[in-house]
Amino acid sequence: MTQVPPPPAGGLSQRALLIVIALLTGLLTGLAAGVLAVLLHATILGAATWAGGTFIAITMLLFKICELLR
């Protein structure tokens, strides 16, 4: 039988930290996009659309970058 090697030290905590950073960056850019949309006289629904789309796009982009760097 082959044994599975143990995970590297700090691997799980480092991955969790990268996920938290990606989510917070997405949240911050989504908030900025929403505020910018309101300042440019968009409706509340339009601002929420821009904020949500920006959050999803930036978070997925950062997840993909983290995946490619592994």
Side-chain angles (χ1 to χ4, degrees), residues 39-53:
L39 287 174
L40 294 173
H41 304 292
T43 63
I44 296 298
L45 183 59
T49 303
W50 278 101

Side-chain angles (χ1 to χ4, degrees), residues 15-61:
R15 180 149 172 83
L17 183 61
L18 289 173
I19 289 171
V20 168
I21 289 172
L23 288 173
L24 288 177
T25 304
L27 185 66
L28 187 63
T29 55
L31 178 65
V35 168
L36 186 61
V38 168
L39 287 174
L40 294 173
H41 304 292
T43 63
I44 296 298
L45 183 59
T49 303
W50 278 101
T54 303
F55 168 75
I56 292 170
I58 295 297
T59 304
M60 289 297 119
L61 175 68

